[in-house]
Amino acid sequence: MAQEDVFKKLVAHCKEYGFVFQSSEIYDGLGAVYDYGQNGVELKNNIKKYWWDSMVLLHENVVGLDSAIFMHPTIWKASGHVDAFSDPLIDNRDSKKRYRADVLIEEQLAKFEDKIEKEVEKAKKRFGETFDEKQFRETNGRVLENQQKWNDLQARFVKALNDSNLDELKQIIIDQEIVCPVSGTRNWTDVRQFNLMFSTDMGAAADGAMKIYLRPETAQGIFVNYLNVQKTGRMKIPFGIAQIGKAFRNEIVARQFIFRMREFEQMEMQFFVRPGSELEWFQKWKQTRMNWHQALGFGSENYRFHEHDKLAHYANAAVDVEYKFPFGFKEVEGIHSRTDFDLSQHQQFSGKKIQYFDPELNESYVPFVVETSIGVDRMFLQIMAASYSEEEILSEDGKKDMRVVLRIPAPLAPIKLAVLPLMKKDGLAEKAREIIDELKFDFNCQYDEKDSIGKRYRRQDAIGTPFCVTVDHITMEDNTVTIRYRDTMLQDRVAISDLKNIISGEVSLKKLFAKL
Ligand code: GAP
């Protein structure tokens, strides 16, 4: 199946099974804003817990924070967001559609990469076992030609970005003959900068109201609380502050479902270090974060690092963790060495000294910062994309059937256990309820008595429930049940009294932490 079709199915699945809904749907929706349904909110909470505990529980020098979304407007002046937090936009005059100029060029680069990969795949099939991929990449004419085109375009693109040269970005789009996907024409406007921050007025009187911004990142709430936390927590450098919270960006092009939203949630950790040690810590956090992703078991080949071509105004090193989505390798998380930029700026704009006295060095300095920043929603999409699977199976009566299964890692699954009475009568329903009453304080359980057992299994597979327990007549005699495992579909007969142990071993976050 084409990857685009897989993605369309995934989006439909998210809605059908109560994971993600379009915001304000009955009013025809609101662009790039989404709501999480009954299963989505559970998965989202579990992702947040996996991140939070891995930061705050597993690192004794990382503590949490929950800062307000509204902040003093000067913060955004100091951080550089008022002047520089913008994307280059371009309009197509015929379709009246708006695009990010840099994204159009990135998509063109991806086309060259695709062409190279297709050549390699073709050759792999042709030569089979004897295929020497390295040699092929270094010698094949079509691969080399596309690689050269990629190199030339990339070099020109990076220079234009670094020079903030908007005319050159437009010229690249023209020279590469990039067309609007809607109108198919090259009738482009000039490229202009567009600030991504939402603003609103705080205060009643129109003339006395203060223009404030909805935060575009949670990080600044951490920086302006650096002194509060350091002093009250008696924190010694190196130490980190972690925060989960909403962020808002007026994205020019919001596509690909919850990949790019206007209201989203971030999980950010700012790690304060001694000046000069930041690149060492950057490497350390880079690896720690990659391990966190790969502990989920979706295959290390589906992740890669992407070094930034253009560093943000505050960074001296930056890398993205990318995952292979159905629409290609894309950023899930950013790790940035932010230098002392933010704290120094706040020191200057607030007039308050923001420093750390280092007793070992016997001197004060503005700490340097290494940041890890990941979107909850993007992580959610990554997990859904990686978990979604359509499989051919044999149904109970031996016929070929299909099942859609979400192979969500058990510790993150929305529902851990479904309890299914084979039938409602003969006390089976009551027995099933008893089991739920016993386990509901430990796991998120669901009771389901409607339809055939096969249909009920399918429903649980579709939301990623790792365990289904069936209560039948034998249960009434000996207090045993059948437990069915989502991934293998195998079944065991076990004592009700063993259920808690069997399940807790699989669904505990400790299982993931053990791999970190
Ligand atoms: N404090 C640094 C910062 O905000 P960023 O690379 O702009 O860095 C970090 O964002 C992460 O936030 C991204 O890797 C992505 O997961 C998520 N993110 C950013 N913009 C987003 C959007 N419009 N919709 C959903 N997630 C977004």
Side-chain angles (χ1 to χ4, degrees), residues 217 249 251 259 261 266 268 331-332 338 371 373 375:
E217 61 171 13
R249 297 183 190 179
E251 298 284 357
F259 184 81
M261 303 157 87
Q266 286 187 315
E268 298 201 295
E331 171 187 350
V332 180
R338 290 182 79 128
E371 162 186 81
S373 174

Side-chain angles (χ1 to χ4, degrees), residues 1 26 28 36 117 153 157 159 167 179 188 190 220 244 279 285 300 311 318 324 351 388 404 432 457 484 492-493:
M1 199 189 316
I26 58 170
D28 296 333
Y36 286 85
E117 292 315 312
L153 176 56
F157 177 45
K159 183 163 179 358
D167 293 340
V179 296
W188 297 111
D190 286 342
Q220 296 304 322
I244 299 178
L279 293 180
W285 278 108
S300 55
L311 290 175
K324 195 173 179 190
Y388 184 89
V404 173
Y457 284 159
R484 182 239 190 210
D492 280 336
R493 187 127 210 134

Side-chain angles (χ1 to χ4, degrees), residues 432-446:
R433 293 263 183 222
E434 252 175 51
I435 295 174
I436 289 197
D437 281 343
E438 225 175 279
L439 296 176
K440 70 183 175 193
F441 301 106
D442 298 292
F443 319 113
N444 201 344
C445 304
Q446 196 169 80

Side-chain angles (χ1 to χ4, degrees), residues 17-19 37-46 380 383-384 406 408-417 443-446 460 462-466 486:
Y17 287 92
F19 282 90
Q38 67 280 12
N39 290 317
V41 67
E42 297 292 344
L43 173 57
K44 206 174 174 213
N45 284 342
N46 293 341
F380 184 109
I383 289 172
M384 290 299 277
L406 290 184
I408 299 174
L412 303 186
I415 308 289
K416 309 297 189 206
L417 167 70
F443 319 113
N444 201 344
C445 304
Q446 196 169 80
Q460 295 300 330
I463 61 170
T465 306
R486 175 195 71 194

Side-chain angles (χ1 to χ4, degrees), residues 305-403:
F305 285 121
H306 169 77
E307 306 284 339
H308 282 208
D309 301 320
K310 182 188 184 237
L311 290 175
H313 59 275
Y314 49 72
N316 69 358
V319 72
D320 294 335
V321 175
E322 292 189 340
Y323 177 76
K324 195 173 179 190
F325 284 94
F327 41 86
F329 269 105
K330 295 278 177 224
E331 171 187 350
V332 180
E333 169 158 12
I335 296 125
H336 313 120
S337 172
R338 290 182 79 128
T339 67
D340 61 350
F341 176 83
D342 301 271
L343 291 184
S344 296
Q345 287 290 102
H346 290 308
Q347 181 168 256
Q348 190 190 328
F349 277 71
S350 68
K352 309 267 171 9
K353 205 167 160 191
I354 305 180
Q355 301 215 336
Y356 175 75
F357 175 73
D358 193 323
E360 283 172 36
L361 299 180
N362 198 25
E363 67 179 57
S364 294
Y365 51 76
V366 177
F368 273 45
V369 174
V370 174
E371 162 186 81
T372 71
S373 174
I374 174 170
V376 180
D377 314 85
R378 208 171 279 185
M379 188 62 204
F380 184 109
L381 184 61
Q382 190 261 293
I383 289 172
M384 290 299 277
S387 303
Y388 184 89
S389 162
E390 291 179 5
E391 296 172 359
E392 203 170 84
I393 54 163
L394 287 181
S395 66
E396 278 89 67
D397 50 9
K399 288 200 187 113
K400 272 192 183 166
D401 199 357
M402 281 294 293
R403 75 161 180 164

